[in-house]
Every structure is written in C-alpha cells, then in structure tokens.
Amino acid sequence: MSQYETNIFQNLMNGDFAAEGDLIQLITDEEEQDPGSETFVEEIPILSVRNTVLFPGVVIPITVGRQRSIRLVKKAHKGNKLIGVCAQINPNNDDPSWEDIYHVGTLAKIIKMIVLPDGNTTIIIQGKKRFQIKETLSDDPYFVAKVDYLEENFPKNSKKIRALEESLKEAATKILHLNPEIPREAQVALDNIDNTPFLTHFLSSNINAPVEAKQRLLEINDGVERATLLLEFMMKDIQMLELKSEIQKKVHTDIDQQQRDYFLRQQMKVLQTELGEEGPEKEVEDLRARGAQKNWPVEVKKHFEKELDKILRINPSAAEYPIALNYAETMVELPWNEFTQDNFDLKHARAILDADHFGLDKVKDRIIEYLAVLKLKNDLKGPILCLYGPPGVGKTSLGKSIAAALGRKYIRMSLGGLHDEAEIRGHRKTYVGAMPGKIIQNMKKVKISNPVYVLDEIDKLSSDFRGDPSSAFLEVLDPEQNFAFLDNYLEVEYDLSKVLFIATANSLDTIQPALRDRMEIIEVTGYTMEEKLEIAKRHLVPKQRKEHGLKTKEIAFEKAALTKIIEDYTRESGVRNLERAIGKVVRNIAKSIAMEEEYDHKITPDAVRKILGSEIFDKESYQDNSEAGVVTGLAWTSVGGEILFIESSLSKGRGKLTLSGQLGEVMKESAMTALSYLKSKAETLGIDHRVFDQYDLHIHVPAGAVPKDGPSAGITMLTAMASVYTQRKVKAKVAMTGEISLIGKVMQVGGIKEKILAAKRAGIKEIILCKKNKRDIEEIDPQYVKGITFHFVDRVGEVLEVALTKSKVDKPMKFTFTDENKSKD
C-alpha cells in the first residue's frame, strides 16, 4: 500500500464512524492486478448493510451494531477475513431475512476491525469480486450462502471502451470542480487509475445516486452497458450540481451586496458622526424623543413605536423608507390632546364680536351661549354651527371673530367644488404620493386640538366616481362620532370632538339631509340700508384706506355719498360690491395723490357719480294706482329683497290665460290657483261670471328677461286679477307677499326681512303678510321697520279688503258680452 493510502487509513482510523455508509475510496496495489486471479471459496458468510453498495476494489468503513452482524464479523476476522456484502432492500428493517437483501453483492476482505467504546464495531473492508447468491445455507447465527462469482466483461483494446473511459474521467473531473465538498486529493486518485473495470467501480461507488441505482450498476455484467449507464447517472449529477452552483452563486452575490451595503452604511455612519450630520438611526431616535414628549393615547403610542421599529429594519435606500419616515413625522407633528385655554370673559367676547361685525345679533347671542355653557361645564363637545345666508354678509369672517373671542386658533377650509372623498379621509399610505385628508393636514398645520374650524361653502360640495365628500363629513360633523375620526392615511383614531366647527352656506337645498341634520342652522339675513351705512363707516372705508396707503386726513366720505353708493351702485344683501365700489373711489383719490393733482378730500354724492359713472340701479319706487290690475309684490333673491310689480290686463277673447315674464312652474300654478278662486267667488266680489269666458287675461311680471319663481306672489297675483276684473283701485303705497291655497287661505313665506327692507327702500307704507309671518317681524330691529304699517291676514278676503279701495279707477274698462246687448260699468 502506498504512503498516500497509509495516510488515508490513519485518518480513517482516527475518525468518528458513527454513521453507516461513510465512504473513503482507495486504490490499492492489488487492483493493479487482475481481480480474478485469486481463488475464492463458494460458501461465505453474508453481511447485510444499509444505504451502501460495495464495489470491487473499493475500501470502505462499515459500523456493525446488530448482534448477528457482530458475531459474523468477529468469526470472519479470526478466520480467512472474507465475507460477502449485500445491500438491504429496505434500510429500516432491523432484522432482515433473505427476501430483504439483494442477491448480487461483493466479496470483501476485512482489513481492520476496531471495537468502539459504545459497543459497536467498525470494520474496514475492501471489495474483491462480485457474486450472486446461488443457494441460502443458514441464517443462524448469521447468514451463510453458496455463491457464484461474476466475471468482468470489458472488451480489450476497444475504441468505444477508451472513449467511455475518457468521458467518465472528464465527467468525474467536472463533478470535482462543481462539488467543493469533495477533497482535492480525489483528483490525484482519479488520475492514477488506468484500469477500466476499477474506474467504473470507483466512480459507481462515488456518484450521487440512490442505493437502487448503484445496485443496478453492480448487477450489470456487460462492461460497456455498465459504463454507459454510469455516464448517464454522472451527467444527471453534473446538471444538478451546475444548477445548484448557479443558485448558490446568485445567493452568494446577493449576500455580498448586502454585506457591501452594510459596510458602506457603517462607514457613512462614522463619517456623519465625524461631520456632525444625522444618519437614519439619528432621525429615528429624534422622532422617538419627540414622541416621548407627546400626550399620546395608549393605542396611538404603541402604533407609533411599532412604526419606528419598522423604519429601523428598512434599508434607507429602499423606496419604502421615505414613505415610512414621512408617516412617522406626520404622526409626531399632529397635536394629540394639546389645547389652548379658552377665554371665558363673556363681556370681552361680546365686545370683540361687536367690534368686528355690525348686526348679526342672533349669531352673537348663540356664541355667547356656547361660551357660557362651556364656562359652567368645561367639557362641552364642540357644536356644529351652520351660518346660512346670502353672499357677502360676513359668514366666513365671523369665524375669525369667534376664534378671537374664544382665544382659539383659526382654520378655514374651502369646500367649493370638492368632489373627492380622499380629500377628507386621505389616501392609504401604500399609494404613491399618499397624504392625509385636509382635515388632518389642517390640524397638523395649526398644532392645536381645539381650533375654530370654518368649513366654507359646505353647500357647494359635489360628488362623482371618486366618492361623496358630503357623506364623509357625516362622521366629521357628528359630536357623537368625531371623537374617533379615522383618516385612511393615519390608520389610527383622531379626536375631533374638541374642535368648534362652523360651516357656511348660501343655500340649504343642496346640502344632504343627513348632513344638514347634524348642524345647528343659524340664518344670517341681509343688511338693511342703515346697517350697510354703519358697516361702510366702521369697517369698509378704514379697511380700503389702509389697503391703499392713505391717511385719515387725505380722504373722508360724506354720509350722503355712502348712501348714494349703496342705493345707486349696489343691490345685494351683503357688502362685497359695496366694498369694491368704495375701493374704486379710494383708488381714484390715491391716483390723484400719487400724480400730485389737486383733489377734494371730501367725497360727496357728485364726486361718487363722477368717479363711478352713471347710476347702475334705479331706486325702486312705488307705481301709482291709476291703472287697474297693477299691484306691488315683494320678492326674495339671492342678493336680497326686491319689489315686484304684477301687471294684468283684459282683452276681448275666449277666456284664455296668458302668463309672461319668464315665470317658473310654481308662479304659473299660483296664477291658475288665484284665477280659480276668483271664479268661485265671482258673485261675492261683484264680478260678472261671463267675463271669464269672453275676455282673455294676460298677467306680466317685469323685467321679462329675469327668471322668477316661487309661491310668494300668490296673493299679489290674486289682488291684481281682482283689481282688473272689478276695475277697483289698489290702495296707494301698499305691498304684499304670501302664498294662497285654492280655498282662499293665506300661507306664510320666507325672506321676510329682505322683503321688508326692499319695501322700505321703495317708499312702501303698508305691507300685507300672513299671520304666521308676524314672528319674523318681531325679530327685526324696530328702527328698521319704523313708519311701516303691517296687516297680518289669514284669508284672501282680508287681503282684498285691505288692498282694494271701494272706488274704481279713473278710466274703468267697459265690458260687453255677446249673449245680451248690455254693458257693465
């Protein structure tokens, strides 16, 4: 045996052979000779082994632990040291019979026997010659069988054999390179083999194949067939090793990249520390320190800490890192249970409200009530106030005054045209460009949990395929729900119950009923001429003077000049157009000062006309009552109240009713109701019933280009019809408004304050109203209705009794009828 083999054996003997099947293959000097040159006995003891197939010429260690096997090994070791080795079919069978072992095996010689401390015995054996069991002789105390020895069948000097031998060596060399677990010395052993049968045995013993495959190779007698099948197995092994190597290389590359990134990050951290800059960990620690100062709810605190821990596990170069960091920053920047101290000085609050806004007593009283209850109870949930009224009356600016009165911070959110629900509830943070909704964004901006939050133009909300924002506001504006408002981006509940929400609207019709039910509606009516005059003197003129850089002594408005602007250049409930007109006058003076021109610092009505041009609006005035069928009505528009003239005339015809003046369906129905009522009461009113069939009635409401609708003109139309049919005069300087029913009942209408102001501007002295509208008059400051007489009626007959005089007009119409030749004066 060579020195190389001796070293292997020494290493083998010093090793731990706990598992059966540990393989060491050797090339011995004996293998250089013909393995068939020795003579072997026919009857041999048979050792069954598990998970191992022994090939001729190969040396392997085997650990025997079964008593039968130990007795066999000891007996053989004392004798000729020859045993037969057969593989078990089922390796899990601890007591195999003859049927449980393969009947083709290898004769082996025991080279060394070692008894281990645990009682097991390890033998080192070398395969000699293949055999096949011919007859079983005994199975006690161990297997003994009679065998026939099998000869190797390799053609000599065959090109095919040489080609197979070269292919096997090339395949083996490739396996050695692909499998790093095989010792490099195996290549030396492979190069020293020049015996084809032993080469096939050596490689068959080493291939990565199951016992069944190796047993199949052992049983093949034809050398070419065996070598070909072995090469097939080795090629499969090569493919598997190449795939495994590719996978390992890829994984190794990924690990190397991660290690490279780790070392680079560590170096960056050291450099940032040296330069005094902050790294990712420093950012997270700063957020954690800021979070520790927050008055978090328990669940929110746990969620925040969890998010910070998640950030630390994310690679700073990953796309998720800035998203997670922005989310944590949003959470820590939000005010959590951070409040300003409310100012409970009610007199101070009232003084601020009075200084900022003239009038609006109902709204001011409501705010003072809220402050009073909050002062007494100290835990009142924020009510949802909705200021409803025409444009320009100060609804939005009132929110600032309320915030100043309470000592709270102020937020304004415009809802006009908002149609995406995500604008309220936010986007889920997994989306690209996700952000919180505007509610949470504004809370973060103001940094306080109890601001005054003005939701401007809530009636202008719209909806489309992206959702319904008004439905999202159902949670925001409900004091019983908004303590746990859930923003999609924030993912945790946020308390909005301490926020004082104030909504503004021009119309209640477009507000969703469920949303309107959650708000306390406070009507902000239009200003009277006297109120506008005071607002102009106290607020608008000083504001415009300051905005245009003028001093008090450089411009002064006479009361008559302001009155002219209000009456002749604006027609509105609010004061926006009034402010614009005053601003135009102030700019004209500023231009004169800048160009060093001479000017009169006192603004008179003539100066107003010179600067603003010809009057835009004619002052509404009462028309005289010389014509029958002309009655003054009162109407409400989006810019305030107006007087409305109803004109009616009769012409010979067939009783046709014509309506003109762009009247809506409601007004047309009011006209037909009034006509039907007159027909039913014709005898009572002294009207010849034939006039309804033989005369056409035309009702017109100027101006014809302005659309008009609503039930308020019902009694006005009835009075106009009664006047033209009876040819009786309408009482001078009287106006009216009210809805009528078919049975002659007068019903209440809205917009009374604006209508009264319009009547007063037109010089009306008497006004007819429904009895139920009396409460609206009581809410108006008495100084604004001074000089006007009110007639509160319940039936149509009372309207005609007040409105129509007993005398006829100066030139009454003469009626002629075809059925009898007589006239009626």
Side-chain angles (χ1 to χ4, degrees):
M1 191 177 290
S2 65
Q3 182 62 41
Y4 171 70
E5 295 169 333
T6 303
N7 292 337
I8 293 179
F9 271 115
Q10 288 176 351
N11 292 335
L12 179 67
M13 294 178 185
N14 293 330
D16 181 9
F17 309 117
E20 203 173 88
D22 292 341
L23 301 181
I24 295 293
Q25 289 77 30
L26 301 174
I27 304 174
T28 67
D29 293 335
E30 298 169 350
E31 289 299 326
E32 299 293 339
Q33 305 168 0
D34 182 6
S37 60
E38 296 185 36
T39 302
F40 302 110
V41 295
E42 292 185 357
E43 294 183 8
I44 58 173
I46 302 299
L47 175 66
S48 62
V49 294
R50 291 182 282 198
N51 301 319
T52 301
V53 177
L54 177 65
F55 287 84
V58 178
V59 177
I60 64 171
I62 295 178
T63 299
V64 291
R66 292 179 287 207
Q67 291 300 317
R68 176 192 294 175
S69 299
I70 293 173
R71 286 194 294 267
L72 182 151
V73 168
K74 288 182 177 180
K75 181 69 179 290
H77 187 259
K78 291 178 180 180
N80 60 7
K81 294 183 172 54
L82 293 176
I83 60 173
V85 178
C86 293
Q88 276 187 216
I89 298 174
N90 182 7
N92 297 322
N93 193 342
D94 289 333
D95 187 18
S97 62
W98 286 108
E99 290 76 15
D100 296 323
I101 64 174
Y102 291 103
H103 282 210
V104 175
T106 302
L107 179 69
K109 184 176 183 178
I110 300 175
I111 298 173
K112 183 77 173 176
M113 185 175 73
I114 304 169
V115 180
L116 300 176
D118 60 0
N120 289 332
T121 300
T122 297
I123 58 174
I124 299 171
I125 59 176
Q126 181 184 30
K128 292 294 183 178
K129 194 173 184 66
R130 296 183 303 123
F131 65 80
Q132 183 171 7
I133 296 174
K134 182 172 65 174
E135 181 182 352
T136 59
L137 301 177
S138 173
D139 57 3
D140 189 33
Y142 45 76
F143 292 137
V144 179
K146 184 180 289 188
V147 300
D148 285 339
Y149 292 100
L150 304 175
E151 299 297 333
E152 301 297 338
N153 185 11
F154 282 91
K156 293 184 178 180
N157 301 322
S158 170
K159 292 182 179 180
K160 189 171 186 179
I161 284 296
R162 286 199 298 272
L164 281 171
E165 184 177 346
E166 291 299 323
S167 298
L168 289 172
K169 285 189 175 183
E170 288 178 5
T173 301
K174 197 164 188 178
I175 290 174
L176 287 174
H177 288 298
L178 289 172
N179 192 348
E181 297 178 1
I182 300 176
R184 296 297 95 187
E185 292 82 358
Q187 181 68 52
V188 178
L190 184 64
D191 293 339
N192 290 329
I193 299 175
D194 57 5
N195 185 300
T196 304
F198 177 67
L199 178 64
T200 60
H201 295 156
F202 178 77
L203 295 177
S204 298
S205 181
N206 280 279
I207 62 170
N208 184 21
V211 172
E212 295 80 1
K214 292 184 177 183
Q215 181 66 30
R216 182 180 170 190
L217 289 171
L218 183 67
E219 293 177 357
I220 296 175
N221 290 322
D222 184 80
V224 175
E225 182 183 350
R226 185 195 305 163
T228 304
L229 182 60
L230 173 60
L231 184 59
E232 182 182 334
F233 287 154
M234 293 178 72
M235 295 308 296
K236 289 182 179 178
D237 196 14
I238 288 173
Q239 292 178 358
M240 186 62 67
L241 286 171
E242 286 178 340
L243 181 60
K244 182 179 178 182
S245 176
E246 183 180 346
I247 294 172
Q248 289 178 342
K249 184 177 180 181
K250 184 176 181 181
V251 173
H252 183 69
T253 302
D254 292 343
I255 293 174
D256 285 348
Q257 183 64 34
Q258 291 178 6
Q259 290 175 341
R260 177 178 176 276
D261 292 347
Y262 171 76
F263 286 123
L264 287 175
R265 284 197 298 271
Q266 291 298 112
Q267 291 174 358
M268 286 175 60
K269 187 188 299 184
V270 173
L271 291 174
Q272 287 170 342
T273 303
E274 291 295 326
L275 294 172
E277 297 178 357
E278 295 184 357
E281 290 79 5
K282 186 67 165 59
E283 290 180 336
V284 173
E285 291 307 316
D286 287 347
L287 286 172
R288 200 183 300 274
R290 291 168 62 188
Q293 300 175 1
K294 286 286 184 179
N295 187 16
W296 304 99
V298 177
E299 293 299 323
V300 176
K301 183 176 182 181
K302 290 181 180 178
H303 182 78
F304 179 71
E305 293 292 338
K306 184 179 178 182
E307 289 297 319
L308 292 185
D309 294 339
K310 188 187 298 182
I311 293 174
L312 291 174
R313 295 194 297 269
I314 301 176
N315 188 334
S317 61
E320 296 82 1
Y321 184 82
I323 295 174
L325 195 64
N326 288 339
Y327 175 73
E329 288 177 348
T330 299
M331 286 196 68
V332 82
E333 288 174 3
L334 275 173
W336 300 88
N337 298 320
E338 299 171 21
F339 307 103
T340 54
Q341 186 65 37
D342 286 331
N343 186 351
F344 294 126
D345 188 344
L346 304 186
K347 293 182 179 178
H348 169 74
R350 185 70 192 219
I352 290 178
L353 294 173
D354 288 339
D356 292 346
H357 291 80
F358 187 83
L360 305 179
D361 294 331
K362 186 188 296 186
V363 182
K364 295 175 184 177
D365 291 341
R366 178 63 187 88
I367 299 302
I368 298 301
E369 289 171 4
Y370 167 76
L371 273 177
V373 176
L374 186 60
K375 181 178 181 180
L376 296 175
K377 196 175 180 184
N378 203 32
D379 64 347
L380 180 67
K381 291 183 179 179
I384 314 301
L385 305 179
C386 180
L387 305 180
Y388 151 66
V393 294
K395 301 185 297 296
T396 304
S397 62
L398 190 63
K400 284 187 178 180
S401 300
I402 294 173
L406 292 171
R408 293 189 179 188
K409 291 190 176 181
Y410 169 79
I411 306 175
R412 174 185 169 272
M413 177 179 173
S414 178
L415 303 180
L418 192 68
H419 50 259
D420 190 352
E421 183 182 347
E423 294 286 338
I424 309 300
R425 293 191 179 277
H427 310 78
R428 298 193 182 279
K429 68 174 185 287
T430 53
Y431 296 160
V432 176
M435 63 179 65
K438 290 188 179 295
I439 298 291
I440 295 298
Q441 286 184 45
N442 285 324
M443 295 301 293
K444 184 177 76 170
K445 181 179 178 181
V446 80
K447 299 185 182 302
I448 287 299
S449 299
N450 63 335
V452 173
Y453 205 128
V454 174
L455 302 171
D456 213 5
E457 310 289 355
I458 199 169
D459 58 322
K460 307 299 189 303
L461 284 172
S462 59
S463 61
D464 62 9
F465 64 93
R466 284 168 285 192
D468 183 7
S470 62
S471 296
F473 269 111
L474 295 178
E475 180 184 6
V476 176
L477 299 183
D478 191 343
E480 299 301 324
Q481 299 180 35
N482 62 11
F483 68 90
F485 173 68
L486 186 61
D487 186 277
N488 290 329
Y489 180 84
L490 204 58
E491 293 182 349
V492 291
E493 295 177 349
Y494 189 83
D495 186 4
L496 294 174
S497 61
K498 302 300 188 296
V499 179
L500 175 57
F501 286 103
I502 299 177
T504 70
N506 299 128
S507 172
L508 298 179
D509 298 336
T510 56
I511 301 177
Q512 187 184 132
L515 182 60
R516 185 170 59 198
D517 183 63
R518 282 163 165 77
M519 300 185 292
E520 180 180 340
I521 307 297
I522 299 177
E523 186 177 2
V524 184
T525 55
Y527 295 113
T528 64
M529 208 285 293
E530 290 82 1
E531 287 175 329
K532 288 183 180 180
L533 190 60
E534 287 298 320
I535 291 170
K537 287 165 57 179
R538 296 185 186 187
H539 302 286
L540 303 184
V541 171
K543 178 182 176 183
Q544 290 298 317
R545 187 171 59 228
K546 182 178 179 181
E547 287 184 356
H548 292 86
L550 301 185
K551 298 177 182 178
T552 306
K553 64 181 180 180
E554 292 176 330
I555 185 171
F557 281 84
E558 290 185 352
K559 182 177 179 181
L562 292 174
T563 302
K564 183 174 183 62
I565 294 175
I566 295 169
E567 292 182 344
D568 297 341
Y569 294 93
T570 65
R571 182 166 293 176
E572 58 179 345
S573 294
V575 292
R576 280 206 183 101
N577 289 329
L578 174 59
E579 184 177 4
R580 293 190 188 101
I582 292 173
K584 187 173 182 179
V585 174
V586 174
R587 281 194 299 275
N588 186 273
I589 300 300
K591 182 201 71 172
S592 298
I593 295 174
M595 297 180 68
E596 298 181 354
E597 299 174 347
E598 291 188 4
Y599 73 97
D600 188 355
H601 77 284
K602 184 171 288 187
I603 306 300
T604 62
D606 292 337
V608 168
R609 192 177 192 283
K610 182 179 178 181
I611 296 171
L612 298 182
S614 300
E615 292 81 356
I616 299 175
F617 301 103
D618 293 331
K619 185 176 180 180
E620 299 159 329
S621 59
Y622 168 76
Q623 295 183 3
D624 60 50
N625 60 348
S626 60
E627 296 286 337
V630 180
V631 183
T632 306
L634 301 175
W636 180 92
T637 69
S638 60
V639 294
E642 290 184 359
I643 63 172
L644 196 68
F645 298 106
I646 307 292
E647 301 174 348
S648 58
S649 66
L650 292 174
S651 60
K652 195 70 176 176
R654 298 184 177 181
K656 179 182 177 182
L657 173 63
T658 302
L659 302 171
S660 60
Q662 282 212 54
L663 305 185
E665 292 298 323
V666 178
M667 286 193 76
K668 291 178 180 178
E669 291 173 0
S670 295
M672 290 185 286
T673 302
L675 182 59
S676 297
Y677 178 79
L678 281 179
K679 288 179 179 179
S680 65
K681 301 294 182 181
E683 188 175 346
T684 305
L685 296 173
I687 303 173
D688 193 316
H689 66 88
R690 290 173 298 179
V691 74
F692 297 113
D693 298 326
Q694 299 183 21
Y695 281 83
D696 292 338
L697 174 64
H698 186 166
I699 296 177
H700 178 69
V701 184
V706 180
K708 311 166 192 72
D709 201 5
S712 299
I715 63 173
T716 312
M717 287 185 170
L718 176 70
T719 305
M721 292 179 190
S723 173
V724 73
Y725 280 126
T726 61
Q727 292 295 299
R728 290 164 60 183
K729 285 185 177 182
V730 178
K731 187 182 292 186
K733 295 188 177 181
V734 66
M736 61 194 71
T737 181
E739 185 180 359
I740 62 169
S741 68
L742 193 60
I743 59 175
K745 186 173 179 61
V746 179
M747 293 175 284
Q748 64 179 348
V749 291
I752 296 301
K753 181 179 179 181
E754 286 78 4
K755 293 175 180 178
I756 300 303
L757 300 180
K760 189 174 182 182
R761 287 195 299 268
I764 299 296
K765 299 298 183 183
E766 296 182 61
I767 298 177
I768 303 173
L769 297 170
C770 173
K771 283 184 178 179
K772 292 183 179 180
N773 284 123
K774 187 174 182 180
R775 57 174 178 249
D776 297 305
I777 303 300
E778 292 171 352
E779 292 180 358
I780 302 175
D781 193 323
Q783 64 175 322
Y784 300 141
V785 295
K786 187 177 181 180
I788 298 178
T789 302
F790 292 96
H791 301 278
F792 299 104
V793 299
D794 187 51
R795 307 289 300 182
V796 170
E798 300 173 51
V799 176
L800 299 179
E801 186 176 342
V802 173
L804 298 181
T805 63
K806 300 296 183 183
S807 61
K808 295 189 177 183
V809 294
D810 298 335
K811 297 179 180 180
M813 180 180 180
K814 295 183 178 180
F815 297 102
T816 58
F817 303 100
T818 57
D819 55 347
E820 51 184 301
N821 192 16
K822 69 175 185 177
S823 63
K824 182 177 182 294
D825 294 334

